[in-house]
C-alpha cells in the first residue's frame, strides 16, 4: 500500500496530477485542497495517498494532509460511496457545511455535489445522520467544524448560495461564510453582510471566481 509520495509536480489535468518520484511518474487524483495549494511545476510536493486496487486498475488518490485522507477513508466506508464520490464530497463540502446539511436534513444541498443525484443524496443523508460524529473525529485544524455562533442557518445558506451563484466553489463559499459569521460574535448579520465579508476575504487572499 502506498501511503505517501514525495516528489516534484510534473503536470495537472483537471483533478489528476503527475508526480515525479525519483524518475517514476505517478498519476494521482487529488482533492480541491491539494489543487488550491499546488506548487509551480517542477517544485517539491508531498501527498498523503490512498491506493485502490481493482481488477482492471490501480488508482491513487492524494490529499493535503493525513486528517483529510482519514476523512476520505471514513467517507468511502459509507455504503454506496466509492473513491470518486468520496473525493467529490471532500472537494465540495467542508465539515462545517456537512454538519449543517445533516442537522437540517437538507437533501437538496447534497445534490450539488458532482455525481450525486436525488436518490443517492437521500441514501447519503440516512448514512450521514448516524456517522457525522465519527466523520468529525477525523478533522484536523484545516478540516475542523467552524461554529457560526448565533447566525441563523437560513442566513448562512443564503449567503453560501449567493457566492456559489457568483462562481465560487461550494467548499470555498462555506469556509468563507463560516469565517465571517464567526467574526460577528453575538451579532446576527444579514446574508448580504456575510457575502460582502466573504468577497473582501476572497479579494485579500486572491481567490477569484
Amino acid at each position: 500500500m502506498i501511503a505517501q509520495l514525495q516528489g516534484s509536480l510534473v503536470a495537472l489535468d483537471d483533478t489528476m496530477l503527475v508526480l515525479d518520484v525519483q524518475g517514476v511518474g505517478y498519476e494521482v487524483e487529488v482533492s480541491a485542497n491539494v489543487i488550491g495549494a499546488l506548487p509551480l511545476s517542477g517544485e517539491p510536493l508531498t501527498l498523503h495517498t490512498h491506493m485502490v486496487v481493482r481488477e482492471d486498475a490501480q488508482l491513487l488518490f492524494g490529499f493535503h494532509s493525513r486528517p483529510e485522507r482519514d476523512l476520505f477513508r471514513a467517507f468511502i466506508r459509507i455504503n454506496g460511496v466509492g473513491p470518486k464520490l468520496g473525493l467529490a464530497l471532500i472537494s465540495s463540502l467542508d465539515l462545517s457545511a456537512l454538519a449543517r446539511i445533516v442537522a437540517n436534513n437538507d437533501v437538496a444541498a447534497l445534490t450539488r455535489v458532482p455525481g450525486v443525484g436525488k436518490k443517492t443524496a437521500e441514501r447519503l443523508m440516512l448514512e450521514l445522520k448516524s456517522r457525522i460524529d465519527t466523520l468529525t473525529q477525523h478533522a484536523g485544524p484545516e478540516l475542523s467544524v467552524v461554529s457560526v455562533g448565533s447566525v441563523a442557518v437560513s442566513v448562512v445558506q443564503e449567503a453560501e448560495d449567493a457566492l456559489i451563484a457568483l462562481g465560487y466553489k461550494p467548499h470555498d463559499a462555506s469556509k468563507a461564510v463560516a469565517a465571517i459569521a464567526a467574526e460577528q460574535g453575538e451579532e446576527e448579520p444579514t446574508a448580504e453582510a456575510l457575502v460582502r465579508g466573504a468577497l473582501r476575504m476572497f479579494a485579500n487572499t486572491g481567490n477569484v471566481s
Side-chain angles (χ1 to χ4, degrees):
M1 185 68 69
I2 300 173
Q4 179 176 303
L5 289 173
Q6 186 171 18
S8 57
L9 178 65
V10 174
L12 173 68
D13 182 9
D14 195 14
T15 62
M16 182 76 73
L17 61 77
V18 177
L19 189 68
D20 184 332
V21 181
Q22 297 183 351
V24 179
Y26 290 86
E27 281 191 345
V28 188
E29 190 156 359
V30 294
S31 72
N33 279 338
V34 172
I35 294 173
L38 279 178
L40 297 175
S41 181
E43 293 190 351
L45 174 64
T46 298
L47 294 175
H48 299 273
T49 58
H50 177 84
M51 188 175 184
V52 175
V53 178
R54 303 191 318 214
E55 289 185 1
D56 59 343
Q58 296 182 24
L59 307 174
L60 278 172
F61 296 87
F63 306 93
H64 181 66
S65 65
R66 287 182 181 177
E68 187 183 43
R69 184 187 62 192
D70 290 344
L71 179 59
F72 169 82
R73 287 174 171 172
F75 271 133
I76 63 176
R77 291 189 187 101
I78 295 175
N79 184 36
V81 178
K84 294 281 188 180
L85 182 51
L87 197 68
L89 285 165
I90 282 181
S91 297
S92 301
L93 298 169
D94 64 16
L95 282 177
S96 295
L98 186 64
R100 191 162 58 249
I101 286 168
V102 172
N104 289 277
N105 198 36
D106 189 356
V107 173
L110 288 176
T111 63
R112 298 179 192 139
V113 177
V116 177
K118 185 177 179 182
K119 289 185 177 180
T120 301
E122 290 172 347
R123 185 177 68 249
L124 270 174
M125 181 61 72
L126 288 174
E127 294 278 358
L128 288 169
K129 282 181 177 179
S130 63
R131 293 173 181 257
I132 190 64
D133 290 340
T134 301
L135 291 173
T136 55
Q137 289 174 4
H138 295 291
E142 74 277 20
L143 299 175
S144 58
V145 177
V146 180
S147 171
V148 295
S150 59
V151 182
V153 169
S154 59
V155 172
V156 171
Q157 190 63 60
E158 184 180 347
E160 290 180 4
D161 289 344
L163 290 169
I164 293 169
L166 289 172
Y168 292 96
K169 296 178 181 178
H171 178 87
D172 294 331
S174 178
K175 275 190 172 182
V177 169
I180 298 301
E183 291 176 359
Q184 303 301 313
E186 297 301 319
E187 299 179 17
E188 295 187 16
T190 62
E192 291 80 4
L194 291 175
V195 170
R196 286 196 300 270
L199 290 174
R200 285 195 298 271
M201 177 182 294
F202 289 144
N204 289 336
T205 59
N207 187 330
V208 295
S209 60

